[in-house]
Amino acid sequence: MARKKGFDYFDAMYQLSMKTKEASLVLDDIITHYSSDYLIEKAESIHQLEREGDEIVSSIMYELNHSFITPIDREDIIAITKFIDKVLDNINALPYSFDNLGIQKMRKKAIEMSALIVEIVEALTVVTKEFSKFKSTKSIGQMIQKVTELEGRADIIHSAQIKELFTSEENVLEVVRWKEVFDRLEKIVNGTEQAVLIMEAMVIKNT
């Protein structure tokens, strides 16, 4: 891999967040217009975005291994990159879980959770873009508040749905299927919040 002169770590992390945003939109499309045939078609689109994300991660790691000077500590760049990449990986894995679990029809609350994922990942892209200006920007703090609010809303939906499954659903297989789905949706939300909070911690550390 050839080194890129004047490699922009901040932009690379932002581009990774944008791949994650694109993937969240495709996931929302899958969930909103759910059918088994549509799932197979669109899952590959997310997988392609995940592969492109892996290439960005590889370029960041390569540059870190060959650079003497970085704009912030190496371990901070690695941490942010890994947190964002994990969100993308979790989005990529979810459509395959739908297929493996034999999901035939999407539940209304899963659609609501998916919409929240789109919002929270959008907030992640804003924070990642503004991160390069962390010494002067005020947008990061506003987005962090939004992320916290969205995570709280998603947590309420998740908790209510798990309770409903165990108290009202008589089909044990449906309980197993949908607990897995809602747990994975919540995992994406929580992972996105973690990615944002790690950037907040880096802002505090570097100012």
Side-chain angles (χ1 to χ4, degrees), residues 15-64:
Q15 293 305 321
L16 180 60
S17 74
M18 287 299 293
K19 296 296 179 186
T20 307
K21 175 183 174 180
E22 290 179 56
S24 75
L25 291 169
V26 179
L27 177 64
D28 187 58
D29 190 28
I30 289 172
I31 291 174
T32 303
H33 306 95
Y34 191 79
S35 73
S36 56
D37 291 339
Y38 197 60
L39 168 66
I40 294 170
E41 174 189 343
K42 290 294 182 176
E44 179 54 35
S45 299
I46 296 180
H47 191 51
Q48 176 59 36
L49 289 166
E50 191 267 341
R51 286 193 293 263
E52 293 169 7
D54 284 344
E55 291 177 4
I56 294 171
V57 172
S58 294
S59 68
I60 291 171
M61 297 306 168
Y62 180 84
E63 289 296 325
L64 285 173

Side-chain angles (χ1 to χ4, degrees), residues 87 120 147-148 151-152 188-198:
V87 175
I120 201 169
V147 165
T148 301
E151 191 279 333
I188 295 170
V189 172
N190 290 343
T192 307
E193 182 187 39
Q194 289 172 347
V196 169
L197 292 179
I198 195 70

